[in-house]
Amino acid sequence: MGTRVLMLSLYLSLLLLMDATTAQMPGFVSLDCGGTNNFTDEVGLVWTPDNQIIYGETTNISVANETRKQYMTLRYFPADSRKYCYTLEVVSRTRYLLRATFLYGNFVNNNVYPKFDVSLGATRWATIVISDAYTIEVQELIFLATDPTISVCLSNATTGQPFISTLELRQFNGSMYLTEFENQFFLSASARINFGADNENPVRYPDDPFDRIWQSDSVKKANYLVDVAAGTEKVSTRMPIFVNSGERPPQKVMQTAVVGRNGSLTYHLNIDGFPGSGWAFTYFAEIEDMGPSDTRKFRLLLPGRPDLRKPIVNIQENAQGKYRLYEPGYYNISLPFVLSFRFGKTSDSTMGPLLNAMEILKYLKKNDGSLDGSVIASVASLYSSMDWAQEGGDPCLPVPWSWIQCNSDPQPSIVSIKLSGKNLTGSIASDLAKLGGLVELWLDGNALSGQIPDFTGCTSLKIIHLEDNRLTGDLPSSLVDLPNLRELYVQNNMLSGTVPSGLLNKNLILNYTGNINLSKGGSGGSHRKIIIGSSVGAAVLLIATITSCLLMQKGKKKYPKQDKLEPDMPAQRFVSSLGDAATEAAHCFTLSELEEATNNFEKKVGSGGFGVVYYGKLKDGKEIAVKVLTSNSYQGKREFSNEVTLLMI
């Protein structure tokens, strides 16, 4: 009597568990890509439109025999060099199933089937190859969340345009799919099979409370579940199955099975993504009535792999009773693309082997992403409302953000940031100084204010453009400590004080004009609005004075023809005509006239022979080239003086 009461109590508990799973599990996200309204589908899943993404276009499609609303729309993206990302919120240190589906429906009407990549963060998840406009392509991934958000990105279109139909996120409970490798690998679904199914419909939510898709073994695909052994028979039960352990396969899946009446179950199947290392488990529950003397014992046999022979399976004994789950498997097994397997009964068994379900997942190596991911993400978060800051995913992988360039290291770092004219306000993000590999920084043409931060952490910096902002304070002396700095543009700000002498003595193109309270220092600051080609300082004024004297002494001599100059000289005169130079007379210019003509030495047109050449235009419309000394060496000054003298001959 006590046993009957216990069984009845267990039965009622299981029925209550089944009823409880009809409510949608927490941690579910179902995005109807291209959709416009929320809706609840026929199984009770709540779908929401993907209107949080600002990129891409949406369209409706029509596919015969497809009536599910979530597949009637899609979102597509340009076939360019960018990536387009969805960002989803997750709970850190929790495992999830992520599913993306793609139903093409020939939405562009050109019969060019798309091929593109889909990535999870920095890791390439899969290449989507559409070969049939009316078949749904499904990709599933199991992962451990390590951050509060994840990014799913489409990129690298080889043909056609990247697109997506649905994006789904399902949260697992407890230790489901726990492996010792989860910090280095994702698990990509290759096969999830419901054996003994009575029709071709897959089992999923609400029968599976985690909404995994269990494909029916009745579905016939090329080279999939073939070589079925003679005597294979489908069996089923209506009794509840205790599945509340391990990976918790759904009861509906465990209530069906195949049995090898002739003592053998044999199959082979092509498994997506292999050969490679995988996670492979089988699910058993004894659902047949057996006589008191009957036994069911069998082994797994893999042809050519005697080392992988599993111990004898006795379902009732291993599961500690009938209608209970037993799930032996391999956490790390090397599998081929074509998997052949056999369950064979032992010599002392009276009944053939039984199989309820099987699941095979492939290990997908995680990419750690760029070295600067968290740093640049914090910078982008300051401008979260701007389009350029919403690209999502890793800044470098699988392709970089549109305003960033990265190097080609396996774990890349950012080498260039170009945010010119992006309406940036506030102070310059201090986190930029943490980008040790940064070579170029372009923040010009914005409304940035405050002081220039200390960039000494950016030891690779060569080019800094901060011009045309509202920056205040001193020009930091820490800039002198950047060993590779070659160009510094800070003109047209509100900087004050004096230019650090170390900057004037560096081999540096420096532009600080337009800062009325910033001077070169020295004798009284009478030349506050000066533009200097690296380390010119007083030397430039000296050369300008010498040149003026030479020009006045020589009078109106003709310029020599270019073919009389040395090969590297034509673009290197202090002042020369860009037009008909051979017929122009020499003329004396003041420094202020040169600044006006060149718009404060704004446009660089060449360099060489210890000088940099700038474009200018006189008040009468004549175009000139102005060369400015860029070396403080004795040799440089002598060569420069000789060149000026040569122009007067």
Side-chain angles (χ1 to χ4, degrees):
M1 182 70 175
T3 302
R4 290 183 179 179
V5 172
L6 178 62
M7 289 296 292
L8 179 60
S9 175
L10 176 62
Y11 181 72
L12 291 174
S13 297
L14 290 170
L15 288 178
L16 289 173
L17 177 64
M18 292 174 68
D19 289 340
T21 61
T22 59
Q24 182 167 306
M25 295 284 288
F28 272 35
V29 175
S30 303
L31 292 183
D32 174 22
C33 301
T36 56
N37 301 106
N38 294 356
F39 69 93
T40 301
D41 67 15
E42 64 278 3
V43 299
L45 289 171
V46 178
W47 292 86
T48 58
D50 66 338
N51 48 22
Q52 80 277 13
I53 189 170
I54 63 174
Y55 302 108
E57 302 291 336
T58 64
T59 189
N60 296 305
I61 64 171
S62 178
V63 176
N65 302 320
E66 181 57 72
T67 59
R68 290 170 292 182
K69 186 176 180 180
Q70 62 267 32
Y71 294 112
M72 297 296 98
T73 60
L74 58 81
R75 183 178 293 271
Y76 63 96
F77 304 93
D80 55 21
S81 60
R82 292 180 58 177
K83 63 173 174 274
Y84 298 92
C85 301
Y86 288 84
T87 299
L88 304 176
E89 293 183 356
V90 291
V91 178
S92 186
R93 305 307 302 174
T94 302
R95 290 174 203 87
Y96 288 87
L97 181 148
L98 178 66
R99 179 163 50 237
T101 68
F102 311 87
L103 179 57
Y104 181 46
N106 200 26
F107 69 88
V108 291
N109 244 349
N110 61 7
N111 291 314
V112 176
Y113 290 153
K115 180 180 178 181
F116 54 92
D117 288 343
V118 57
S119 305
L120 176 56
T123 304
R124 191 180 70 81
W125 172 5
T127 297
I128 306 302
V129 181
I130 303 299
S131 56
D132 179 354
Y134 307 110
T135 299
I136 299 174
E137 173 75 19
V138 180
Q139 293 291 332
E140 285 189 0
L141 202 66
I142 294 172
F143 68 96
L144 174 70
T146 56
D147 296 301
T149 62
I150 61 166
S151 292
V152 179
C153 306
L154 279 63
S155 64
N156 295 335
T158 303
T159 59
Q161 293 174 285
F163 74 96
I164 185 168
S165 300
T166 69
L167 186 59
E168 304 164 67
L169 190 65
R170 310 292 186 242
Q171 182 178 324
F172 288 126
N173 286 347
S175 61
M176 292 177 65
Y177 299 100
L178 168 65
T179 78
E180 61 180 296
F181 316 109
E182 63 185 359
N183 290 319
Q184 295 84 39
F185 293 87
F186 300 136
L187 288 170
S188 177
S190 295
R192 190 179 289 119
I193 307 168
N194 173 24
F195 286 96
D198 56 7
N199 58 53
E200 294 188 357
N201 297 327
V203 173
R204 59 177 302 181
Y205 185 87
D207 296 300
D208 186 335
F210 306 103
D211 195 26
R212 292 163 292 186
I213 298 176
W214 300 82
Q215 297 290 351
S216 168
D217 65 341
S218 298
V219 175
K220 303 303 179 185
K221 296 190 290 185
N223 298 317
Y224 195 80
L225 296 179
V226 296
D227 291 348
V228 180
T232 299
E233 181 180 312
K234 294 186 176 186
V235 296
S236 63
T237 183
R238 293 187 178 180
M239 289 293 292
I241 312 295
F242 182 81
V243 295
N244 197 25
S245 64
E247 274 54 61
R248 304 185 186 187
Q251 291 202 62
K252 187 171 183 178
V253 166
M254 298 305 296
Q255 287 173 325
T256 64
V258 288
V259 176
R261 297 300 185 199
N262 292 348
S264 178
L265 286 173
T266 303
Y267 292 96
H268 88 240
L269 64 155
N270 295 351
I271 43 179
D272 292 339
F274 286 87
S277 296
W279 179 102
F281 271 68
T282 47
Y283 302 105
F284 302 107
E286 185 56 73
I287 61 173
E288 280 200 305
D289 292 328
M290 296 192 297
S293 60
D294 286 332
T295 58
R296 193 191 304 277
K297 300 179 183 179
F298 55 93
R299 289 182 184 274
L300 169 64
L301 304 172
L302 294 175
R305 299 293 301 273
D307 56 311
L308 294 178
R309 177 181 292 204
K310 271 290 188 181
I312 294 174
V313 175
N314 183 328
I315 299 177
Q316 283 199 76
E317 183 178 288
N318 294 127
Q320 300 180 354
K322 288 186 65 174
Y323 308 115
R324 294 181 63 88
L325 171 67
Y326 172 54
E327 52 172 62
Y330 299 93
Y331 285 99
N332 186 15
I333 182 175
S334 179
L335 294 175
F337 172 61
V338 180
L339 175 64
S340 296
F341 65 94
R342 174 176 174 261
F343 290 100
K345 79 180 188 70
T346 61
S347 58
D348 60 343
S349 176
T350 63
M351 303 187 73
L354 177 148
L355 174 62
N356 302 78
M358 173 181 288
E359 196 170 12
I360 299 175
L361 311 172
K362 184 180 184 295
Y363 282 109
L364 178 64
K365 183 71 171 69
K366 290 174 60 175
N367 192 312
D368 292 330
S370 63
L371 290 171
D372 306 317
S374 59
V375 173
I376 202 65
S378 71
V379 173
S381 68
L382 300 174
Y383 304 96
S384 57
S385 62
M386 297 188 177
D387 290 358
W388 59 265
Q390 299 182 42
E391 295 189 32
D394 186 90
C396 296
L397 297 170
V399 295
W401 291 344
S402 61
W403 48 280
I404 276 176
Q405 292 180 9
C406 304
N407 62 22
S408 57
D409 292 348
Q411 192 172 7
S413 58
I414 295 171
V415 297
S416 177
I417 294 176
K418 294 187 176 180
L419 289 173
S420 304
K422 295 292 188 180
N423 298 317
L424 306 185
T425 59
S427 59
I428 297 174
S430 59
D431 277 354
L432 290 173
K434 300 176 182 178
L435 301 175
L438 189 63
V439 177
E440 297 184 15
L441 178 62
W442 298 70
L443 300 177
D444 53 293
N446 289 294
L448 292 167
S449 58
Q451 297 186 339
I452 297 174
D454 183 348
F455 283 114
T456 50
C458 304
T459 55
S460 300
L461 261 178
K462 290 184 179 180
I463 299 173
I464 302 177
H465 278 264
L466 303 177
E467 67 268 28
D468 302 317
N469 279 287
R470 301 172 185 172
L471 299 172
T472 57
D474 295 335
L475 192 57
S477 59
S478 60
L479 293 168
V480 177
D481 299 325
L482 295 176
N484 298 296
L485 189 62
R486 296 294 177 266
E487 297 182 20
L488 176 60
Y489 295 84
V490 293
Q491 67 268 29
N492 302 326
N493 279 285
M494 294 182 284
L495 300 173
S496 57
T498 59
V499 178
S501 60
L503 289 177
L504 300 176
N505 295 324
K506 287 176 71 74
N507 183 22
L508 176 71
I509 299 173
L510 172 62
N511 186 336
Y512 60 88
T513 187
N515 295 276
I516 61 174
N517 294 315
L518 178 64
S519 66
K520 181 177 66 66
S523 56
S526 59
H527 298 283
R528 287 182 176 177
K529 295 183 69 174
I530 300 174
I531 191 161
I532 304 173
S534 164
S535 69
V536 181
V540 168
L541 301 182
L542 176 62
I543 294 299
T545 303
I546 293 172
T547 304
S548 299
C549 293
L550 287 172
L551 292 174
M552 288 187 289
Q553 289 172 5
K554 291 294 181 179
K556 297 188 176 180
K557 299 271 185 168
K558 300 291 184 180
Y559 282 87
K561 291 185 180 292
Q562 290 188 9
D563 58 6
K564 292 183 180 180
L565 297 177
E566 294 177 12
D568 64 342
M569 298 296 283
Q572 299 174 7
R573 303 167 181 164
F574 188 81
V575 179
S576 65
S577 169
L578 291 176
D580 189 7
T583 62
E584 292 289 328
H587 183 75
C588 180
F589 295 95
T590 65
L591 183 59
S592 60
E593 287 176 323
L594 296 180
E595 288 179 340
E596 182 178 357
T598 61
N599 193 21
N600 290 320
F601 299 85
E602 180 180 55
K603 184 176 181 181
K604 177 181 172 182
V605 295
S607 62
F610 304 98
V612 176
V613 183
Y614 296 90
Y615 169 83
K617 181 179 283 190
L618 300 177
K619 290 182 178 180
D620 61 4
K622 291 179 181 178
E623 295 176 294
I624 61 171
V626 180
K627 184 172 182 179
V628 180
L629 178 65
T630 59
S631 173
N632 239 358
S633 67
Y634 172 78
Q635 177 68 15
K637 294 175 182 176
R638 188 179 67 177
E639 291 290 333
F640 194 80
S641 297
N642 289 341
E643 188 174 339
V644 172
T645 303
L646 181 63
L647 294 176
M648 300 297 97
I649 297 174

